[in-house]
Amino acid sequence: MSLSTQPETSTEDAEYQQRYQTIVENLASIREKMKAVAGGEKARLVAVSKKKPASDVLIAYKAGHRHFGENYVQELVEKSKELPSDIKWHFIGSLQSNKCKTLARIPNLWVIETIDSIKKADALNKSCESRDSPLKVFIQVNTSKEESRDIRKNGVEIEKCVPLAEHIIDNCNNLELRGLMTIGAADWEPSHGPNPYFRILVTCRDEVKKHVKQKNGMEIDLKLSMGMSDDLQEALEAGSTEIRIGTAIFGARPSK
Ligand SMILES: *Cc1c(COP(=O)(O)O)cnc(C)c1O
């Protein structure tokens, strides 16, 4: 028996404390890495919580974090019901036209980052008719032209980025184009030189700004969502304004 006057904590409490500490420390260490890049601390940190329990999201929330990213529609629907309503959810998974309605019904969905075709833009636009205000969207660009490898095959081709942006602005009144997103090649081999994919997204952004104006004739302000756990510094150096970090905050995910 312990003679300490402190109440004994259960194993469950101890595990929670441990988890809390890990996540808070990881968040702090990412903030440090962001600061190490000139201007990097101004970027938004989106905590990617896919395949992680709602309890992990709540820990980061209690530590003051509000922007979270999810990849799977059903998982996002469930977490959004269970977790605080002032969380700003980013949908960063592969978008399917038949899931647009379900996504549009999530009241605190902040942005969908993975529009990559006119067809999906139109489907989402239609689904968003009943939302109070236009839904923010990013265009996902396939900067690395990888065809068969998992998630990286998603995204509009570089050449189709300008026409897609134009289409969203001209025809999708329920959507608000706010940025471009890319995954690039997360396993880029540094010995091959600097990862070119983030620069390509910067070029796409410049092209869109040059060719497409807002309806009121003003230039569009487009964010750049790029950089994950393994390449956040490179992405920030290339001008990222939003990094999406999963593993470096919540640890490795269970494999499929
Ligand atoms: C899973 C995922 C991330 C987070 O990746 P980590 O390597 O775990 O940081 C970021 N962006 C997208 C689109 C993802 O699917």
Side-chain angles (χ1 to χ4, degrees), residues 71 84 168 204 207:
N71 286 60
I168 294 172
C204 287
E207 284 297 304

Side-chain angles (χ1 to χ4, degrees), residues 48 50 71 92 151 181 183 228-229 244-248 253:
V48 176
K50 64 174 176 232
N71 286 60
I92 60 170
I151 47 176
M181 177 274 221
I183 294 173
M228 305 178 13
S229 293
R244 309 175 307 268
I245 308 297
T247 313
R253 288 177 290 273

